[in-house]
Amino acid sequence: MKNSLIVMVAIFAAFGTAAMARPFINDKPAPEGRGDLEVIQSLLHRNLPAARAATVAIELEKGSGTGVIVSEDGLVLTAAHVSTGVDLDLTVVMEDGTRHDAVSLGLVASSDAAMIRLLGEGPFPYVEYDSEDRTRLGDWVFSLGHSGGFAEDRGPVVRLGRVVRIAQSTYQSDCMLIGGDSGGPLFDLEGRLVAIHSRVGQRLPENMHVPMREFLRYWDAMKNGEFVGSGPFAQMPSPGTGFLGLVGEAGDGGLEIQRLANRGPAAKAGLEVGDVILTINGNEVPDRDTLRKILDEMAAGQRITMEIRRESGEHETLEFRLDER
Amino acid sequence: MSAERSILLSFATLIGLASLSSAQQSLESAFRTTGAEVVAAFDTPRQVLQTSSAVIEQGRTQLAYGMVVSSDGAILTKASEIEGKTGLTVRVDRQAFDEVEIVAVDPVWDVALLRVDADDLVPVEYIDEDAGDLQHGTWVVANGATSRLARRALGGVISANAREIPAAGGAVLGLVMEVTDDGVRVEEVVEGSGAERAGLEKGDILVAIDGMVVGIPEDIIEAMGERSAGESIQLRYLRDDGEHDVEVPLIAREELFAEQMMTRNDMMSGAFSKRRSGFPRVIQHDILSNRSTVGGPLLDLDGRCVGMNIARANRAESFAIPAAEVREIAARLMDGEENS
């Protein structure tokens, strides 16, 4: 009994190393005939289904991009120019067409990295990512993307290529990218996520991706919803551009609403004349000036949490977004 | 699928690229996916391209590729790339043919059957009839650039599900119409349209479409119904010299108004095929071809024909007619040739 246990441990150890080994094909300058091509193909066949299942289309009001799920509870990596900002509402479309609400977390505006959180009930299909920076120049890679937007009869599009250039915060591959692929995943032959699609060269077939090391560097900041760096891939919303749509006066315990803009965000959220605003995002609002100061710091599209007291004396908490002024 | 709404990849500026140059490493072009060292691995299918693909030219301009479907000189190619062209020449392997006849055209699939005077060509061999669709990620090989004597191969993979590509923007006649006291009158005939080919002119009054009387322009739209690019409709019109019946071929709106319908994805795509939609069923692969390298066979690693390349849709998407359909189209066009 004891012996057999030892044998099993040995077998597991052997399997473990086999799984970690780098496909030998990556260390050949070029495939030497049919056998080598079939090695690439069989790895691709084996790892495509899981990679496809975790690849999602991301839909916003102004367009669509791609992303990839990297955790069972629905953390999605994409490009900053796809998520465009922090704490925005998005829709994520799975391979089979199932739609989930999602919200954008943080991003790195200077390198085009971003994170999104799925709001639906997990577990979600996800992929492992390369956390050890194992990609080398010439490695075979495959890209997935919802080119031109989600199309259920087509599915995500796969392209095969090699890593042809490595720079500090960019990989370049010869997997051709096109609009809609942005934010999509680049995988190594073992199906590990190694980078996220970012941009293309204007004339040459240059396809640029943000490597995982850039994501790992800012992982916690992005997860905490921080807007890191400035441009060119995302613009910080300017403060003072938000519109609430109400006029109030100092009242009992807060700001009493006098007038509401027709179809303004406050009216749409269900506020009524006579309601008293007790707090906005946790801050007390005793008078008009305080409200003005709070709004001056906020931008269009930002989320507002408002604690109010109705005329009936009932307390309520409303959550909605500021419109554009 | 809305190409225009997709978020566009931003273009890297030259300055951005230059700033990276100190720390970067770059793979020599010979070892890139389309490089000579990698392409050398596709020797078996390349041999098939050498003997069974054709280069269609007009003078020194390469128009398209073709695929040999019979030893006695039947060659399929992409119809819209040779349409209206005269003085075609065809090269197969090391032979050149200056007498080329366009025998038949399948307008739905955009395939033309050419005939050259030969008796020793090597036709493509198709994959098994019951093979079904190739799995995503399976290697495929197609024509790359060519020299006078040698065909070159390029490799790629099956990229997406086989599917129909509906005519972009729907199928149209190419007429601008106006309602007058005399009936629906032609105000303009769009250049390059089926209506122009059928001989319609400004001022003609439309009488009937497919036997149904036309009262208002909406009658025409209704009669067009679910028609596809490549099909034709019967049109009766009235001119000073009386009523005439003509057959008007329908084409995709996108093909007719290509420039106005350019998306930003198109602008980053280089030379894509003029006709790239309105196919009943295609397979998609990622071989980076250009407009004039379309029309040849798509092969597997054994050199068997899995399809016929029919469109370069954009910089990242190429379409091929699946083998089963190509086989049927070839048989039908050659059969029509015998019967005529």
Side-chain angles (χ1 to χ4, degrees):
Chain A
M1 192 61 207
K2 203 174 175 184
N3 279 346
S4 66
L5 200 67
I6 290 166
V7 171
M8 279 180 64
V9 169
I11 288 170
F12 279 135
F15 268 82
T17 41
M20 299 302 282
R22 197 176 138 75
F24 71 90
I25 195 71
N26 281 333
D27 296 318
K28 285 195 172 190
E32 292 160 22
R34 169 103 195 219
D36 286 353
L37 293 173
E38 279 177 353
V39 168
I40 295 171
Q41 179 174 289
S42 64
L43 286 167
L44 193 49
H45 281 169
R46 185 194 305 165
N47 293 315
L48 251 180
R52 286 170 58 97
T55 299
V56 297
I58 298 171
E59 297 186 344
L60 294 91
E61 240 168 75
K62 56 190 143 203
S64 74
T66 305
V68 60
I69 310 174
V70 293
S71 73
E72 197 177 67
D73 61 351
L75 204 59
V76 175
L77 303 188
T78 187
H81 80 275
V82 170
S83 77
T84 69
V86 174
D87 194 30
L88 302 174
D89 294 323
L90 314 158
T91 304
V92 162
V93 192
M94 311 292 289
E95 187 184 11
D96 65 0
T98 311
R99 285 163 179 273
H100 295 289
D101 288 336
V103 64
S104 62
L105 302 178
L107 59 81
V108 185
S110 48
S111 63
D112 210 10
M115 240 181 224
I116 284 173
R117 162 78 65 197
L118 281 169
L119 299 176
E121 186 88 359
F124 296 101
Y126 69 99
V127 291
E128 301 288 345
Y129 50 85
D130 172 24
S131 53
E132 292 163 31
D133 218 357
R134 276 180 284 206
T135 304
R136 296 290 167 265
L137 191 70
D139 279 6
W140 288 87
V141 285
F142 63 97
S143 74
L144 282 172
H146 288 281
S147 317
F150 180 76
E152 194 173 340
D153 63 341
R154 182 199 61 192
V157 178
V158 60
R159 303 187 188 100
L160 177 68
R162 303 188 84 172
V163 175
V164 301
R165 187 166 291 182
I166 292 183
Q168 191 49 43
S169 61
T170 316
Y171 289 165
Q172 190 181 314
S173 81
D174 49 18
C175 299
M176 294 302 278
L177 301 178
I178 194 156
D181 289 333
S182 296
L186 188 73
F187 294 99
D188 63 19
L189 282 182
E190 290 162 290
R192 265 189 313 252
L193 175 67
V194 297
I196 291 290
H197 312 325
S198 171
R199 57 205 184 276
V200 300
Q202 194 147 19
R203 288 196 190 84
L204 302 167
E206 291 168 336
N207 308 284
M208 258 72 89
H209 319 262
V210 182
M212 274 311 297
R213 61 170 173 248
E214 182 71 8
F215 279 83
L216 292 166
R217 197 172 155 201
Y218 294 105
W219 194 270
D220 293 336
M222 283 196 282
K223 218 170 162 180
N224 291 332
E226 287 176 36
F227 191 111
V228 182
S230 62
F233 297 107
Q235 302 303 320
M236 183 93 86
S238 339
T241 54
F243 174 64
L244 181 56
L246 65 82
V247 177
E249 267 177 21
D252 177 19
L255 193 73
E256 188 177 327
I257 297 177
Q258 309 292 316
R259 287 203 310 273
L260 283 163
N262 253 347
R263 287 186 291 277
K268 276 194 281 189
L271 282 163
E272 288 167 12
V273 172
D275 291 345
V276 174
I277 302 171
L278 305 172
T279 64
I280 290 179
N281 297 342
N283 303 303
E284 288 185 1
V285 197
D287 52 35
R288 237 185 242 197
D289 279 353
T290 313
L291 176 65
R292 172 78 6 245
K293 273 182 205 146
I294 292 172
L295 287 180
D296 279 349
E297 308 255 299
M298 296 188 74
Q302 260 186 293
R303 205 189 293 273
I304 202 164
T305 306
M306 194 181 271
E307 218 182 322
I308 60 161
R309 190 183 67 235
R310 299 287 193 191
E311 273 182 300
S312 62
E314 206 176 321
H315 284 226
E316 275 181 47
T317 303
L318 303 177
E319 206 183 279
F320 56 100
R321 287 176 185 282
L322 294 179
D323 267 0
E324 214 154 321
R325 187 178 281 175
Chain B
M1 174 167 110
S2 64
E4 275 152 292
R5 286 191 65 246
S6 63
I7 291 178
L8 289 151
L9 295 145
S10 31
F11 290 118
T13 62
L14 289 174
I15 298 160
L17 285 177
S19 67
L20 301 172
S21 60
S22 56
Q24 74 193 11
Q25 347 158 20
S26 179
L27 190 68
E28 269 179 70
S29 61
F31 298 102
R32 297 189 177 196
T33 307
T34 56
E37 296 289 335
V38 172
V39 163
F42 302 111
D43 194 52
T44 304
R46 197 209 68 82
Q47 296 290 345
V48 175
L49 293 174
Q50 183 68 34
T51 56
S52 304
S53 76
V55 188
I56 323 276
E57 292 169 319
Q58 183 186 42
R60 286 186 183 170
T61 308
Q62 184 187 312
L63 300 177
Y65 282 98
M67 58 184 257
V68 176
V69 289
S70 80
S71 57
D72 61 353
I75 293 166
L76 298 185
T77 189
K78 180 165 171 68
S80 55
E81 295 297 337
I82 58 159
E83 191 184 348
K85 299 283 199 308
T86 53
L88 298 181
T89 56
V90 167
R91 277 188 287 131
V92 178
D93 201 351
R94 287 161 182 250
Q95 300 186 70
F97 304 93
D98 344 328
E99 281 186 28
V100 182
E101 194 191 345
I102 302 173
V103 180
V105 169
D106 180 327
V108 172
W109 287 98
D110 196 24
V111 171
L113 173 65
L114 307 181
R115 176 69 66 182
V116 298
D117 186 15
D119 53 19
D120 58 350
L121 300 186
V122 184
V124 293
E125 275 178 49
Y126 296 100
I127 44 163
D128 294 343
E129 238 164 307
D130 51 5
D133 288 335
L134 297 179
Q135 203 180 334
H136 293 198
T138 302
W139 282 109
V140 284
V141 178
N143 286 98
T146 187
S147 71
R148 268 192 72 75
L149 299 178
R151 302 297 95 80
R152 198 174 156 234
L154 281 178
V157 294
I158 298 291
S159 271
N161 299 336
R163 64 196 188 279
E164 183 190 355
I165 306 294
V172 295
L173 289 164
L175 289 175
V176 180
M177 293 162 282
E178 196 186 46
V179 185
T180 67
D181 294 341
D182 301 329
V184 178
R185 191 175 67 192
V186 175
E187 266 303 289
E188 193 191 327
V189 182
V190 180
E191 206 181 316
S193 68
E196 185 192 51
R197 238 183 295 170
L200 274 107
E201 289 174 9
K202 181 176 174 173
D204 292 343
I205 303 288
L206 303 185
V207 179
I209 186 162
D210 273 351
M212 298 194 302
V213 175
V214 173
I216 51 172
E218 282 69 26
D219 290 340
I220 295 172
I221 293 161
E222 188 161 332
M224 299 280 291
E226 300 271 290
R227 296 309 192 86
S228 312
E231 292 181 27
S232 297
I233 57 160
Q234 296 294 325
L235 199 66
R236 175 172 293 181
Y237 65 90
L238 178 69
R239 200 176 279 177
D240 294 344
D241 56 351
E243 288 191 356
H244 302 266
D245 286 303
V246 287
E247 195 173 80
V248 182
L250 306 179
I251 69 178
R253 185 183 301 274
E254 181 192 66
E255 195 178 332
L256 199 54
F257 301 104
E259 274 169 34
Q260 292 94 311
M261 289 178 70
M262 280 270 273
T263 64
R264 277 193 58 189
N265 269 357
D266 293 340
M267 288 173 206
M268 65 164 99
S269 291
F272 52 83
S273 301
K274 188 176 164 220
R275 165 86 189 271
R276 54 179 174 163
S277 69
F279 303 110
R281 190 164 173 274
V282 299
I283 45 185
Q284 184 176 332
H285 61 82
D286 68 343
I287 299 173
L288 181 63
S289 56
N290 65 47
R291 188 177 161 181
S292 62
T293 57
V294 168
L298 187 69
L299 305 173
D300 66 10
L301 291 180
D302 292 323
R304 287 171 309 181
C305 176
V306 299
M308 170 183 172
N309 289 301
I310 200 62
R312 183 192 190 227
N314 57 46
R315 73 182 244 130
E317 301 181 309
S318 294
F319 298 147
I321 305 173
E325 283 85 348
V326 179
R327 211 194 288 247
E328 182 276 321
I329 295 163
R332 178 161 41 78
L333 293 181
M334 287 195 279
D335 197 36
E337 178 188 20
E338 272 166 32
N339 295 340
S340 61

